[in-house]
Amino acid sequence: MQHRFLLPILFSLLTLFAKAQPYDLVIKNGRVVDGTGNPWMYADVAVQNGRIVRIGTIQPTDAKRIIDASGLIVAPGFIDVHAHVEGSLEAQPEAPNFIYDGVTTVITGNCGGSSSNLRAYFDSLRHLGVSVNVGSLIGHNTVRMKVMKMAFREPTSREQADMETLVEQAMKDGAVGLSTGLIYTPGTYAKTTEVVNLAKTASRYGGVYASHIRNEGANVKQAVQEAIQISREARIPVEISHFKVASKPIWGKSTETIELVEAARREGLDVTVDQYPYTASSTSLESIIPSWALADGDSAVLARFHDQTTRAKIKAEMLDGLKKNLRTNFEYAVVASYKTDTTFNGMSISKINQKLGRKNTAATEADLIMDLMEQAKLRRIQMIYHTMSETDVENILRYPNTMIASDAGVAKLGSGMPHPRAYGTNARVLGRYVRDRHVIPLEEAIRRMTSLPAQRFRLADRGLLRPGYAADIVLFDEKTVSDQATYEQPHAYTTGISWVLVNGTTVVENNKHTGQRPGQVLLGTGSGH
């Protein structure tokens, strides 16, 4: 367990040890942006035994190895507060899409979905060895599924107690908090009181409540207010995930949703948000289907699809959703990964409908959505939804309490048509929004990627370039750093980030991944209770 009061003692011991022998590594001649938001400064950074031990002017003779950072920015490693790496990190422990984008730490278990046994999950990562540091939330959907499966009802008192016990055990095993995905089944079936009581359990162990809120479109304000209510009643810090306005009729209303967050903070509630810097989201195809139609397991869902009266009701609700969002068809919904027929990857629902020679109507497209789900045997079909405006993206990015997050897993190069955020989230902020569009200054962008997320998730020795802190360090060229991934060509690594250190070990050297796996599991403050 991490304790802030140990850092000064640790630093003193490291300094004494470092004076006795050469530093393992010194980064020289770079412009240091330390993560606080303060202006950059010229300084050298010394690393010993995985920790930063000195920042200042350091003689080359005092180092076993020198990295010449002339012309480069030296910053803390980026902390991605909203990732989904379960399964994909085990398949690719080098996490290249994250590492090349400067990410040294990920928080996973978001949107209500996590490992159900965090102790075993953390042990497996330690045994495997991974290139990034990993912390995890415990997912409400995971917990509810374990206790109630896909039941569309309130829990009994016994079921509520069982869910609280699972959350408590996860917090003791090292979870950094509780996450919800209130737009997804079965989490969408939960009423606010159920979530409040689970959040109270996480709060007792110093956890954070991270929420994919119940609605990000027409009812986004009510959904933000629900997250704030949970903060108030559970007395827990709240992180609103991938903050957005995802409905054309209310584009521009981000000023109002931000004001809700600010009003909560004035009240004394610890509410913050995170964002990916794109105008498209990415989630499953089933999110278009009314949640009631997805209840009670696969056989019940298929029975509803096959019953003509029920199918007509589902379709009517889908078409009503289009109308409310000022859309005439499902052209905005693009397939990212459909394993049943990979030729559909990268095509919109409307385009697939045309390819299959079906009638060119929204109603036929709604039928197609149900058909695709059935053909995939209701397994997850990943989609990209073009639903946001650039004005809202920039407005949210300007808000000082917005962190940067990818909402991605470890991408397999060349597989499917994933959202480009999996490859270029941080570089896009640094290139497009800092350098090109001047939306926020460089130092402020780095604060949002480093010390702010470290503070939010209580990562006591991460997020700053400070003596005694873990040597998670990124070197990049602010003039050339760029995201290369696009919606049309998503499989492209970030360029311009030339060095990445994780816990003092070089993982990217001169733009090449070294294959090293020095990542650590980062446990929440409740670990060991």
Side-chain angles (χ1 to χ4, degrees):
M1 188 169 60
Q2 300 161 328
H3 298 281
R4 288 189 183 276
F5 69 83
L6 291 177
L7 289 176
I9 299 172
L10 176 62
F11 168 52
S12 298
L13 292 173
L14 286 170
T15 302
L16 289 172
F17 179 75
K19 288 179 179 177
Q21 60 182 16
Y23 302 117
D24 293 334
L25 175 70
V26 171
I27 302 168
K28 290 190 66 64
N29 306 320
R31 283 180 291 157
V32 171
V33 179
D34 65 5
T36 63
N38 289 337
W40 63 263
M41 62 179 180
Y42 283 108
D44 304 329
V45 180
V47 174
Q48 188 84 37
N49 296 324
R51 296 269 165 180
I52 298 168
V53 292
R54 186 178 169 192
I55 298 176
T57 302
I58 302 170
Q59 296 302 316
T61 54
D62 291 337
K64 296 178 183 176
R65 185 183 185 192
I66 297 287
I67 296 177
D68 184 1
S70 298
L72 300 179
I73 298 295
V74 181
F78 305 146
I79 299 171
D80 190 330
V81 297
H82 192 103
H84 297 274
V85 300
E86 293 84 357
S88 62
L89 182 58
E90 292 92 317
Q92 295 185 93
E94 292 84 9
N97 57 310
F98 285 105
I99 289 292
Y100 280 124
D101 201 39
V103 174
T104 58
T105 297
V106 297
I107 303 296
T108 194
N110 283 282
C111 294
S114 70
S115 169
S116 60
N117 184 335
L118 286 182
R119 177 175 294 182
Y121 177 61
F122 292 152
D123 285 346
S124 70
L125 294 183
R126 292 187 188 101
H127 177 75
L128 176 65
V130 294
S131 292
V132 292
N133 304 308
V134 181
S136 182
L137 298 143
I138 178 66
H140 168 233
N141 287 7
T142 298
V143 167
R144 200 179 208 270
M145 180 76 77
K146 196 171 183 66
V147 174
M148 300 176 61
K149 300 192 182 301
M150 289 292 286
F152 185 7
R153 58 173 173 80
E154 294 182 55
T156 65
S157 57
R158 176 59 184 271
E159 288 168 336
Q160 181 71 39
D162 287 346
M163 287 192 286
E164 290 172 18
T165 296
L166 289 173
V167 171
E168 180 176 38
Q169 185 59 57
M171 296 303 297
K172 290 179 178 179
D173 289 342
V176 295
L178 169 73
S179 78
T180 52
L182 297 177
I183 200 170
Y184 301 122
T185 57
T188 190
Y189 306 141
K191 293 187 176 179
T192 305
T193 301
E194 175 184 324
V195 180
V196 167
N197 288 326
L198 295 176
K200 285 180 178 178
T201 301
S203 180
R204 289 201 302 271
Y205 293 89
V208 174
Y209 171 56
S211 182
H212 181 149
I213 55 179
R214 205 175 290 272
N215 187 283
E216 296 172 327
N219 296 318
V220 65
K221 291 174 68 174
Q222 295 94 314
V224 170
Q225 288 168 333
E226 181 185 30
I228 292 169
Q229 178 186 345
I230 291 166
S231 174
R232 183 184 298 113
E233 294 186 17
R235 298 185 178 181
I236 190 170
V238 168
E239 175 76 3
I240 301 179
S241 300
H242 37 62
F243 204 62
K244 64 172 75 73
V245 175
S247 177
K248 188 182 292 186
I250 60 169
W251 281 356
K253 297 290 186 180
S254 55
T255 54
E256 297 178 19
T257 56
I258 289 170
E259 174 53 30
L260 290 174
V261 175
E262 272 298 281
R265 293 190 64 81
R266 290 193 295 270
E267 180 187 335
L269 302 176
D270 187 358
V271 184
T272 52
V273 306
D274 61 62
Q275 172 197 37
Y276 47 80
Y278 297 86
T279 56
S281 62
S282 181
T283 189
S284 63
L285 183 61
E286 70 179 34
S287 66
I288 298 179
I289 304 291
S291 61
W292 60 264
L294 301 170
D296 305 320
D298 290 356
S299 59
V301 175
L302 292 174
R304 295 184 188 106
F305 284 0
H306 293 161
D307 179 82
Q308 292 306 306
T309 300
T310 309
R311 186 183 183 95
K313 182 181 177 183
I314 294 170
K315 186 159 58 173
E317 289 193 28
M318 294 167 70
L319 297 176
D320 185 56
L322 277 182
K323 184 178 180 181
K324 288 179 179 177
N325 284 288
L326 305 181
R327 297 185 184 279
T328 58
N329 57 27
F330 291 94
E331 179 67 26
Y332 75 96
V334 178
V335 174
S337 179
Y338 185 60
K339 295 180 181 179
T340 306
D341 187 343
T342 57
T343 65
F344 292 167
N345 293 343
M347 297 179 66
S348 70
I349 293 297
S350 297
K351 290 292 193 300
I352 295 170
N353 192 58
Q354 294 168 20
K355 177 180 178 178
L356 295 176
R358 295 185 172 209
K359 191 175 180 180
N360 187 24
T361 67
T364 305
E365 292 175 6
D367 276 322
L368 173 62
I369 288 168
M370 287 184 273
D371 293 343
L372 291 174
M373 289 179 60
E374 182 173 356
Q375 290 163 17
K377 299 180 180 178
L378 300 183
R379 293 186 179 90
R380 185 181 181 93
I381 302 170
Q382 192 69 21
M383 303 290 294
I384 294 175
Y385 297 111
H386 294 271
T387 58
M388 292 173 275
S389 76
E390 182 68 23
T391 297
D392 286 314
V393 169
E394 293 193 2
N395 195 36
I396 293 167
L397 185 58
R398 289 188 185 95
Y399 179 53
N401 298 318
T402 298
M403 298 165 221
I404 309 304
S406 68
D407 195 7
V410 180
K412 183 177 180 182
L413 197 65
S415 178
M417 293 289 287
H419 197 298
R421 69 192 184 192
Y423 287 91
T425 291
N426 293 287
R428 184 173 177 83
V429 171
L430 295 171
R432 176 178 174 84
Y433 293 104
V434 172
R435 182 183 62 234
D436 299 340
R437 296 181 66 85
H438 308 289
V439 176
I440 55 175
L442 175 66
E443 291 87 349
E444 174 64 7
I446 290 174
R447 182 185 72 84
R448 311 284 195 81
M449 301 172 179
T450 58
S451 66
L452 184 58
Q455 175 180 303
R456 164 48 75 224
F457 288 95
R458 297 173 179 170
L459 309 179
D461 58 351
R462 312 273 164 175
L464 290 170
L465 296 183
R466 284 282 185 272
Y469 275 55
D472 295 340
I473 305 173
V474 173
L475 281 65
F476 66 91
D477 186 339
E478 65 172 327
K479 297 178 182 178
T480 63
V481 62
S482 178
D483 61 313
Q484 301 299 312
T486 64
Y487 295 111
E488 296 75 24
Q489 301 290 332
H491 293 286
Y493 294 124
T494 282
T495 56
I497 297 178
S498 50
W499 294 81
V500 178
L501 278 67
V502 179
N503 297 307
T505 296
T506 304
V507 180
V508 171
E509 180 173 337
N510 288 320
N511 305 294
K512 297 294 183 182
H513 200 303
T514 64
Q516 295 296 307
R517 304 181 191 177
Q520 298 176 3
V521 171
L522 305 181
L523 301 178
T525 57
S527 174
H529 279 243

